[in-house]
Amino acid sequence: MRWHGMAHWAEQLIHIRHPLQVHQALQGLLPLLDADGFWLFLDDVASDQHHQFSAGLSADAHRFMAAQQNQDLYLQRYLAEGLSGQCVALQSLLRRDELERVQFLTQFQPHFAFPYSLGLILPLGRGRRLGLSCHRRTNAFNRESEHTLSAIGAMLVPWAQLWLGPSTPCQCGLTLAETQVMDLLLQGLDGSEIAQRRGVSKETVKSQIKSLLHKTDCRHQNQLISKMHRRTISEH
């Protein structure tokens, strides 16, 4: 396993704040896995967050994967067989039903033509999960690749939790979505950056910030951030 390369890559995670930076960081994983493509997704059922990131994929392949995630037979089989936490050769999951396999690949391969794939899904608790997969056009992945992908998954868990934000609402009367927006404000992101990060419109974030100001009896964002910082310090 290429520990030096992984350690250098892990350092980049500390500085990632925006979706584009995630895509760029994932490019660094391709040589570590000798892979041609990489896919990463984060789901949070409670706050209806669904994030997808990739490296080495065309724009068409990324859009297709994001749109078809709920119809992904690899994902369905992986979860149905209780494989969470295990690194699995995804193509091996479709060997039981030849007709089903052919029908799925007929739809899937024109957009995502990788014959060799490894996948891993890690439960994060409270309806959250982290999924990652690496892909090759030639040569199957070996056992070392499985160990490397598992190590990458373990390194991504704390980052994933931070990216998704708090998993429970603040006890000061905020909704879960408002609590997560507040968390991003405290990290220094502005409204446009929060909208990009959460995959929602600027108007949605503007409305949530307005609600935050009303519920916390603050006149502007600076007062809100200062008040929440003081609250955080007093709680510790």
Side-chain angles (χ1 to χ4, degrees):
M1 196 179 299
R2 303 170 185 179
W3 288 111
H4 178 72
M6 289 181 63
H8 176 71
W9 174 78
E11 291 178 3
Q12 298 180 48
L13 290 178
I14 301 172
H15 306 290
I16 289 178
R17 289 168 44 134
H18 310 299
L20 180 59
Q21 293 175 308
V22 180
H23 292 285
Q24 293 170 342
L26 293 183
Q27 290 286 344
L29 294 178
L30 298 181
L32 296 179
L33 291 156
D34 292 323
D36 299 304
F38 195 92
W39 180 254
L40 169 68
F41 70 84
L42 298 174
D43 289 334
D44 183 355
V45 175
S47 60
D48 195 28
Q49 289 190 73
H50 306 282
H51 305 276
Q52 299 92 17
F53 310 99
S54 65
L57 305 187
S58 67
D60 174 70
H62 182 97
R63 285 192 297 269
F64 176 81
M65 289 289 287
Q68 298 296 317
Q69 183 167 307
N70 291 335
Q71 287 74 47
D72 186 343
L73 194 55
Y74 292 135
L75 176 61
Q76 293 174 13
R77 281 290 177 80
Y78 183 99
L79 295 173
E81 295 185 18
L83 297 173
S84 293
Q86 299 181 47
C87 194
V88 176
L90 297 181
Q91 285 74 18
S92 68
L93 299 174
L94 303 185
R95 290 176 179 170
R96 297 179 183 177
D97 189 325
E98 180 63 17
L99 178 60
E100 184 180 50
R101 185 184 74 84
V102 171
Q103 289 176 338
F104 172 67
L105 294 180
T106 298
Q107 176 189 14
F108 197 74
Q109 286 187 330
H111 303 275
F112 200 80
F114 294 98
Y116 304 102
S117 304
L118 282 179
L120 171 67
I121 296 177
L122 297 173
L124 303 176
R126 297 182 181 273
R128 296 179 165 194
R129 65 185 180 188
L130 159 68
L132 53 158
S133 57
C134 53
H135 310 272
R136 285 180 182 168
R137 296 185 177 89
T138 59
N139 301 321
F141 289 97
N142 57 24
R143 184 68 66 179
E144 180 180 356
S145 299
E146 294 180 14
H147 293 325
T148 300
L149 187 64
S150 295
I152 290 169
M155 294 167 65
L156 280 168
V157 166
W159 168 82
Q161 294 283 28
L162 181 62
W163 188 271
L164 290 170
S167 59
T168 56
C170 173
Q171 294 183 358
C172 54
L174 306 182
T175 66
L176 179 56
E178 290 167 349
T179 301
Q180 292 170 344
V181 168
M182 169 60 69
D183 184 65
L184 294 174
L185 286 172
L186 293 174
Q187 291 181 41
L189 277 68
D190 61 27
S192 296
E193 292 170 328
I194 292 172
Q196 185 182 33
R197 172 83 164 252
R198 291 177 57 79
V200 299
S201 69
K202 294 180 182 179
E203 289 70 26
T204 296
V205 174
K206 184 177 180 180
S207 175
Q208 289 169 328
I209 292 176
K210 184 177 180 180
S211 178
L212 283 169
L213 293 174
H214 174 72
K215 289 182 177 181
T216 57
D217 195 27
C218 293
R219 290 175 294 174
H220 48 72
Q221 279 185 220
N222 287 341
Q223 182 183 5
L224 172 65
I225 292 170
S226 177
K227 183 174 185 177
M228 286 300 168
H229 272 308
R230 290 197 302 271
R231 180 187 181 96
T232 300
I233 291 171
S234 65
E235 289 177 348
H236 290 82

